[in-house]
Amino acid sequence: MKKTEQTKVEYRRATESDAVRIAHLNQLLAEETEGRRLPEEVVLSGVRRGLQLDPEVRYFVAESSGTVVGQLMLTREWSDWRNGWMLWLQSVYVVAGCRRQGVFRRLLEFGLDHCRRSDQPVCIRLYVEEENDAATAVYRRLGFGSAGYRVMERRESIP
């Protein structure tokens, strides 16, 4: 684990024992950013499955005084155009009392350092809600910019 003395936060890979907390933070994230209430059992099942899908899915957490106060997920996608892995930054959440203290920035760097050693990614991408100006500003300060693509989706129902 990496420990930062300034904020007394430890950064580490998430484990199965973090699944319930990650699922809860994902629910808070959906409520804050999209006003959506996600079913607990679906989110928890999704987090548990994600934790089993390493190296395609990796969760990282920030922990303070034994409580996870921040999280992010990095997934990877192969790019044949670039002959390398693209990382997708997802499920980013830092609890309100720990925001604006560098927790997300350090958590992101911790996760990226881990992935760089094994994947040597060619880029890092993310989705951000069009109306989420605060998040957009944070990501811009961290070096993210427009990828020049519009995200589109076609929903599929699973029997």
Side-chain angles (χ1 to χ4, degrees):
M1 280 187 228
K2 183 176 181 180
K3 188 169 185 175
T4 305
E5 292 299 322
Q6 297 168 334
T7 58
K8 298 186 181 176
V9 175
E10 294 181 351
Y11 302 90
R12 61 176 174 80
R13 286 285 303 269
T15 66
E16 174 61 34
S17 66
D18 298 310
V20 171
R21 180 67 173 165
I22 291 170
H24 176 70
L25 295 180
N26 278 337
Q27 289 177 289
L28 294 176
L29 172 63
E31 281 188 43
E32 276 185 39
T33 61
E34 299 180 30
R36 296 179 63 188
R37 296 191 66 125
L38 302 178
E40 181 179 352
E41 64 279 357
V42 173
V43 179
L44 181 55
S45 179
V47 169
R48 285 187 170 140
R49 178 74 174 121
L51 285 163
Q52 297 171 356
L53 293 175
D54 188 341
E56 274 56 57
V57 178
R58 298 177 190 135
Y59 287 95
F60 298 89
V61 295
E63 185 176 64
S64 179
S65 301
T67 300
V68 170
V69 297
Q71 69 177 40
L72 62 80
M73 177 176 68
L74 290 169
T75 60
R76 66 183 195 172
E77 172 187 346
W78 182 253
S79 172
D80 55 355
W81 285 18
R82 297 176 181 193
N83 189 28
W85 291 109
M86 297 188 305
L87 296 180
W88 285 90
L89 174 60
Q90 301 179 68
S91 298
V92 173
Y93 193 80
V94 175
V95 299
C98 294
R99 294 177 187 165
R100 300 187 184 276
Q101 297 177 30
V103 172
F104 168 62
R105 179 181 47 79
R106 288 189 298 271
L107 180 59
L108 177 61
E109 283 309 311
F110 180 83
L112 291 176
D113 285 348
H114 177 87
C115 292
R116 285 178 184 128
R117 288 191 297 270
S118 58
D119 297 338
Q120 300 172 341
V122 295
C123 69
I124 300 111
R125 289 186 172 170
L126 60 89
Y127 303 100
V128 62
E129 291 293 317
E130 290 180 12
E131 306 297 320
N132 195 340
D133 295 331
T136 299
V138 169
Y139 294 131
R140 287 193 188 286
R141 282 195 302 272
L142 293 172
F144 289 86
S146 173
Y149 295 97
R150 181 174 295 166
V151 175
M152 299 178 74
E153 173 178 272
R154 183 178 108 181
R155 296 187 182 207
E156 299 284 327
S157 62
I158 300 172

